[in-house]
Amino acid sequence: MEETGVMGFGQILSAMGDGILWIFTNIALAFYNLGYAIWHWSSWLDWSDKTAIMRFVYYGGSTEFFFVCFTTFLLIFLVGLWKNQFLWNMVIGMEFFGNWIGRFFAWAGLLMVLQQVVIVFMQRIFTRPDIVLGIGVPIQFDISWYAEELKLYNAMVVCLCLTYTFIQGGHVRVDLIYASVSFRTKRMIDMIGCMIFMLPLAVMIWLYNWFFMWRSLIVPPVSPSDQLDRLEMKARALRWNVETIGFSPNGFTGYFLFKILMVIMVALIFIQAWAFFYRSYLEWKEGPESEGKYLDKDVLEQGEEPYDHAEF
């Protein structure tokens, strides 16, 4: 029994060693893979070639692509250990990107309201079954198409404003011990949370969403288990087959856009997870006086504060 236990422990150590070696090997290969992708860009970006499309699909969900992204952000962090201001600049840029995207697409909420008003007027007052837009060649869709299309605006607000809300501190946090610990302990918790929860979850959702999106755009269907050689063989039968099936006969036909939005959302989460990790490290290093440093946070004007309690 003791001998079996020792062998089992040895196998665990061997597996851990193999895993660590695999990680460092892929980090080293990331430089070669990135250079190869840039130098041979036409092999995966020239979509006049069906094989290039399949290569693009494969690399988007591949180990190689993950380690190129991971190594890039890791190098930024390593340089930031030496030059803190460089890392602050990266935080400012990444948070600006998330804020700009969120503030811009938040206007989709207003479009959703205005379109709903137009739909009500067209149905109840003008009793029209459709809405025609355009000059010269009109674009005509049934009222039910516009009614279902309202979901797209809602999806844009959710997917593209999610990281903006995170930067602004607008998400609900379940606090068990966080509020009672010291400032630097909080930052340690934030860094560990980024590495253990945010980044792995973003990668996992990306892998599912990436192939889920492409299955609504092309045939034959692709799968995360397909290797590159198998996808290149499928390229012979490849054709665009954009999903335009609605939930009703005259309903919205662009549901593939929701799948594209999900992929963009996960990419934004991945970027902001690193930005939050960088900020947490810098605030941990510089102390409480650096809390919220360079943070572009929206400030409510006098009279715009939200009510915490409704009074009747």
Side-chain angles (χ1 to χ4, degrees):
M1 291 295 291
E2 292 181 1
E3 189 174 339
T4 305
V6 171
M7 289 297 293
F9 182 70
Q11 290 173 351
I12 292 173
L13 289 178
S14 177
M16 290 178 61
D18 291 342
I20 293 171
L21 179 62
W22 177 80
I23 291 173
F24 279 100
T25 300
N26 278 282
I27 289 175
L29 287 173
F31 299 98
Y32 168 78
N33 291 329
L34 178 61
Y36 185 89
I38 294 173
W39 190 256
H40 299 86
W41 63 270
S42 61
S43 66
W44 55 284
L45 281 181
D46 181 12
W47 286 11
S48 60
D49 179 12
K50 294 181 179 180
T51 306
I53 298 176
M54 281 303 192
R55 290 196 189 105
F56 184 85
V57 173
Y58 169 78
Y59 287 124
S62 66
T63 303
E64 294 87 344
F65 177 63
F66 167 76
F67 275 100
V68 166
C69 295
F70 179 80
T71 305
T72 300
F73 286 105
L74 182 61
L75 282 176
I76 291 172
F77 179 64
L78 293 177
V79 174
L81 293 177
W82 174 50
K83 291 285 188 181
N84 287 170
Q85 190 55 47
F86 168 77
L87 200 57
W88 274 121
N89 291 337
M90 294 304 302
V91 171
I92 294 169
M94 293 159 76
E95 289 182 346
F96 171 80
F97 179 68
N99 276 331
W100 184 86
I101 294 264
R103 287 165 178 159
F104 180 81
F105 284 99
W107 289 100
L110 176 61
L111 290 177
M112 180 169 57
V113 173
L114 294 177
Q115 185 167 309
Q116 181 63 73
V117 171
V118 171
I119 290 171
V120 171
F121 268 79
M122 296 300 290
Q123 280 185 319
R124 303 302 179 187
I125 298 178
F126 298 103
T127 63
R128 288 285 303 174
D130 55 13
I131 298 176
V132 183
L133 300 174
I135 300 174
V137 180
I139 300 174
Q140 182 174 358
F141 289 107
D142 193 86
I143 288 287
S144 61
W145 189 94
Y146 288 99
E148 287 188 17
E149 193 245 351
L150 293 173
K151 301 174 185 176
L152 180 62
Y153 296 129
N154 187 61
M156 291 169 68
V157 171
V158 172
C159 294
L160 302 178
C161 298
L162 185 142
T163 51
Y164 159 75
T165 308
F166 178 77
I167 295 168
Q168 299 294 322
H171 287 301
V172 175
R173 299 185 63 159
V174 179
D175 183 9
L176 299 177
I177 60 171
Y178 190 83
S180 60
V181 298
S182 66
F183 177 82
R184 282 192 165 87
T185 304
K186 290 178 181 178
R187 297 302 168 261
M188 286 295 298
I189 293 173
D190 290 337
M191 286 188 282
I192 294 171
C194 287
M195 291 295 107
I196 295 181
F197 296 108
M198 285 186 72
L199 287 174
L201 185 64
V203 172
M204 183 180 68
I205 298 175
W206 172 276
L207 291 176
Y208 279 98
N209 281 347
W210 179 255
F211 293 97
F212 181 59
M213 176 189 71
W214 280 102
R215 282 197 293 270
S216 67
L217 298 176
I218 60 174
V219 290
V222 294
S223 170
S225 61
D226 288 339
Q227 297 299 314
L228 180 59
D229 55 350
R230 179 172 175 80
L231 288 175
E232 289 178 340
M233 290 179 60
K234 285 185 177 182
R236 302 172 185 174
L238 184 143
R239 63 183 176 85
W240 289 99
N241 186 38
V242 179
E243 185 180 69
T244 57
I245 300 174
F247 286 110
S248 60
N250 296 319
F252 182 60
T253 53
Y255 281 97
F256 68 94
L257 295 173
F258 292 89
K259 300 173 184 180
I260 296 174
L261 283 173
M262 286 193 294
V263 170
I264 297 173
M265 177 192 71
V266 178
L268 292 173
I269 292 173
F270 188 83
I271 293 171
Q272 290 307 318
W274 280 102
F276 190 58
F277 177 81
Y278 296 157
R279 170 174 287 281
S280 299
Y281 164 75
L282 290 166
E283 292 185 358
W284 171 83
K285 183 178 180 180
E286 297 182 6
E289 63 276 3
S290 65
E291 184 176 9
K293 186 176 179 180
Y294 301 125
L295 181 59
D296 181 16
K297 196 168 183 179
D298 293 339
V299 179
L300 295 175
E301 299 294 336
Q302 186 69 27
E304 294 181 349
E305 298 86 353
Y307 290 102
D308 292 331
H309 305 282
E311 296 182 3
F312 297 94

